[in-house]
Amino acid sequence: MTSASASSSAMAVIYDMSELKCTLNVDELDVKNVKTGQKVTITTDVTDKEYTGVVENISVNGTAGSNGVTTYPVKVNIIDFDDALLPGMNVEANIIISSVHNVLAIPVSNLNRGNTVYVKGDKTEENDKAPEGYKTVSVTTGSSDGEYIQVFSGVEEGEILYSTAGTGNSMEEMMQQSHERMKDSAGGGSGGRPGGGGM
């Protein structure tokens, strides 16, 4: 008597498209800033639209990479997806860990070590090493998006700062450029794949 072994394979996979999620691998240095409920901005190469998601779960089961850095899976619920976004697509995402609006901000490149900037004006100290026509001023800083940084004190709107290019940047011009751009972000990078909400 012989017995035939039948190999099992799925006849069909059914996706529940009533919800769409993606999983981001967040660096060990950034994961401490990620919290459930935080907003996530999501983009993909297949469309110009920016989608919105919310952090749903942060796993403590990290995976060590070949570079020695551990990453942690962060599950994001995409709340405004459309037909252009499909399961299996690669997405790029940024988790917004804080945001500020209508604040005084300067380019990070204008900030020197020790939280100082060069402001147009006459020097008040003999050992001031600021460029000619500028003086060194200490500033108190806050949130940064990597390009601009919030300034609480030390400079005022309308003052001119010395830039690395050697030209002055008006604080009014910088305020316009940095309007609603002051966001700290963590996570992201390509590789997050949206998945259907069920089988």
Side-chain angles (χ1 to χ4, degrees), residues 4-175:
S5 59
S7 60
S8 61
S9 61
M11 292 181 62
V13 177
I14 301 172
Y15 287 98
D16 176 6
M17 294 298 291
S18 62
E19 58 181 18
L20 207 57
K21 302 177 188 294
C22 66
T23 300
L24 309 175
N25 293 316
V26 178
D27 187 288
E28 62 188 5
L29 298 175
D30 296 322
V31 74
K32 65 181 180 297
N33 297 317
V34 179
K35 305 283 187 293
T36 56
Q38 286 173 331
K39 182 181 174 184
V40 183
T41 58
I42 299 159
T43 56
T44 180
D45 290 338
V46 300
T47 176
D48 293 332
K49 181 178 176 180
E50 182 178 272
Y51 299 93
T52 303
V54 175
V55 174
E56 188 175 80
N57 179 267
I58 304 136
S59 175
V60 295
N61 185 19
T63 303
S66 57
N67 57 358
V69 177
T70 301
T71 59
Y72 294 85
V74 173
K75 187 177 285 187
V76 174
N77 186 21
I78 307 171
I79 57 179
D80 64 346
F81 63 93
D82 54 24
D83 293 342
L85 202 59
L86 298 172
M89 285 182 174
N90 288 315
V91 297
E92 197 163 305
N94 286 306
I95 301 170
I96 301 171
I97 59 173
S98 69
S99 64
V100 291
H101 303 278
N102 299 320
V103 298
L104 188 63
I106 64 171
V108 171
S109 59
N110 285 71
L111 189 66
N112 306 314
R113 283 188 179 184
N115 277 7
T116 64
V117 294
Y118 300 137
V119 179
K120 193 168 187 65
D122 296 327
K123 294 180 175 67
T124 56
E125 298 180 13
E126 281 186 32
N127 60 350
D128 191 339
K129 294 182 170 51
E132 188 65 34
Y134 291 84
K135 61 183 177 180
T136 302
V137 175
S138 295
V139 293
T140 304
T141 59
S143 297
S144 172
D145 66 355
E147 191 174 349
Y148 285 86
I149 189 164
Q150 180 182 6
V151 176
F152 292 114
S153 65
V155 292
E156 296 178 3
E157 188 173 352
E159 290 186 304
I160 296 175
L161 303 185
Y162 180 85
S163 72
T164 53
T167 58
N169 288 334
S170 162
M171 290 296 289
E172 290 177 30
E173 292 172 357
M174 289 187 280
M175 280 289 288

